[in-house]
């Protein structure tokens, strides 16, 4: 059992999943890792960790490689997907280094065993790490091709009994249209899983939304560009969309 309680953390949450895309780590470079950006996000995570909240993380790999892009260029899809999963391990290691430089203990836990680099995924061991306040960064997606890290985040959040998935993006919630293109785009405060699926709203892919719905796991979409935003959202402040 977790020894953190919501009253101890000053938020309504004691264990959460933070999902960010690989692109969130590339800054303005257009590709790869931008260390100052990784450090900035690590600071955001630390502020929540300092509250005593137990934190799981899944980071995508799109800043390095996406299986679909590889297969569109003629590469065999499963091989391309494995390359995408390996990209997520690189991002996880970068985040681990940035968090540990700030004094936050972490574990990178991979769905594909690579013992010299990180831990293999063993559910009960991961739960123990969380109880000991180590940030668990789940890498290599689900370990299976044809999935995304959104599904991996939902799967691990369910297995770890997280109370919610926090999806950090470039915008402060879910809109009916792309707010970067349409000035009259409307942000939803609250939206149902089925509306996300039926209206094809850009939150997470359909398998991830269906899995979250079936496990009653709320998804909170917020902007990771807002300084202090992650901690604020956990306290119920700021703007965000909740999918539930
Ligand atoms: N991937 C996979 N199985 C998984 C998770 C990820 O095959 O369970 C591969 C897939 O090729 C994907 C890539 O890893 O394109 C990177 O993940 P994703 O596209 O979800 O990253 P993000 O868009 O969040 O940066």
């Amino acid at each position: 059992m977790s020894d953190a309680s919501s009253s101890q953390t000053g938020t309504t949450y004691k264990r959460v999943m933070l999902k960010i895309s690989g692109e969130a780590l590339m800054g303005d470079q257009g590709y790869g890792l931008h260390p100052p950006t990784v450090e900035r996000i690590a600071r955001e995570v630390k502020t929540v960790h300092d509250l005593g909240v137990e934190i799981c993380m899944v980071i995508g790999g799109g800043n390095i490689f996406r299986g679909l892009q590889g297969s569109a260029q003629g590469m065999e899809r499963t091989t391309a997907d494995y390359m995408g999963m390996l990209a997520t391990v690189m991002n996880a290691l970068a985040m681990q280094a940035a968090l540990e430089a700030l004094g936050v203990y972490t574990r990178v836990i991979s769905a594909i065993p690579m013992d010299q680099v990180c831990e293999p995924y063993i559910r009960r061991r991961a739960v123990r790490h969380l109880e000991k306040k180590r940030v668990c960064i789940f890498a290599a997606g689900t370990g299976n091709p044809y999935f995304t890290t959104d599904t991996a985040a939902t799967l691990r959040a369910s297995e770890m009994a997280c109370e919610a998935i926090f999806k950090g993006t470039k915008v402060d919630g879910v809109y009916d249209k792309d707010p970067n293109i349409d000035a009259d785009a409307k942000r939803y405060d609250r939206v149902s899983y089925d509306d996300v699926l039926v209206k094809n709203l850009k939150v997470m892919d359909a398998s991830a939304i269906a899995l979250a719905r079936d496990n009653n796991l709320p998804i909170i979409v917020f902007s990771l560009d807002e300084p202090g935003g992650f901690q604020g959202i956990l306290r119920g402040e700021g703007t965000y969309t909740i999918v539930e």
Side-chain angles (χ1 to χ4, degrees):
M1 282 287 288
S2 166
D3 57 5
S5 74
S6 48
S7 59
Q8 282 171 322
T9 66
T11 78
T12 49
Y13 301 96
K14 60 182 183 179
R15 183 177 293 169
V16 299
M17 164 64 71
L18 174 64
K19 165 69 193 356
I20 59 177
S21 70
E23 285 175 356
L25 304 186
M26 72 186 182
D28 295 327
Q29 293 177 157
Y31 179 80
L33 284 154
H34 182 241
T37 302
V38 179
E39 197 206 313
R40 181 181 66 75
I41 295 174
R43 285 191 186 282
E44 294 289 321
V45 173
K46 183 180 186 308
T47 60
V48 171
H49 183 260
D50 287 348
L51 296 175
V53 177
E54 296 171 4
I55 304 173
C56 302
M57 286 183 80
V58 167
I59 308 171
N63 55 324
I64 300 170
F65 197 83
R66 276 206 183 89
L68 269 179
Q69 280 164 4
S71 73
Q73 291 165 355
M75 193 179 281
E76 191 229 342
R77 172 72 192 265
T78 48
T79 302
D81 276 342
Y82 280 117
M83 290 171 66
M85 287 185 257
L86 293 178
T88 72
V89 180
M90 288 205 258
N91 286 336
L93 293 176
M95 182 55 66
Q96 173 172 52
L99 281 167
E100 298 218 328
L102 298 173
V104 178
Y105 291 110
T106 66
R107 289 290 186 274
V108 172
I109 301 173
S110 174
I112 299 173
M114 45 183 97
D115 293 350
Q116 284 79 359
V117 179
C118 52
E119 275 188 18
Y121 176 65
I122 298 167
R123 191 187 71 86
R124 294 176 71 98
R125 198 198 278 186
V127 168
R128 192 75 194 114
H129 288 320
L130 291 169
E131 289 168 355
K132 290 185 175 172
K133 305 291 179 230
R134 296 169 185 147
V135 173
C136 288
I137 310 170
F138 295 98
T142 63
N144 302 290
Y146 298 97
F147 284 94
T148 65
T149 52
D150 282 345
T151 304
T154 313
L155 174 67
R156 295 296 185 234
S158 306
E159 290 178 280
M160 295 297 117
C162 292
E163 290 138 327
I165 301 176
F166 288 76
K167 166 113 177 166
T169 70
K170 285 192 169 308
V171 287
D172 59 355
V174 183
Y175 285 78
D176 57 350
K177 293 177 253 183
D178 185 342
N180 294 317
I181 297 172
D182 285 294
D184 63 341
K186 180 181 143 294
R187 187 178 55 76
Y188 296 94
D189 282 336
R190 198 170 285 268
V191 64
S192 70
Y193 301 108
D194 289 337
D195 270 351
V196 170
L197 291 173
V198 171
K199 296 180 183 162
N200 199 18
L201 300 173
K202 301 280 172 264
V203 181
M204 286 183 166
D205 59 75
S207 346
I209 297 290
L211 189 60
R213 179 191 60 195
D214 295 350
N215 291 313
N216 232 342
L217 196 57
I219 304 165
I220 292 153
V221 183
F222 72 103
S223 168
L224 209 60
D225 290 347
E226 191 67 39
F230 184 31
Q231 200 206 79
I233 298 295
L234 271 150
R235 291 177 180 279
E237 298 160 5
T239 47
Y240 57 89
T241 298
I242 181 160
V243 184
E244 58 183 353

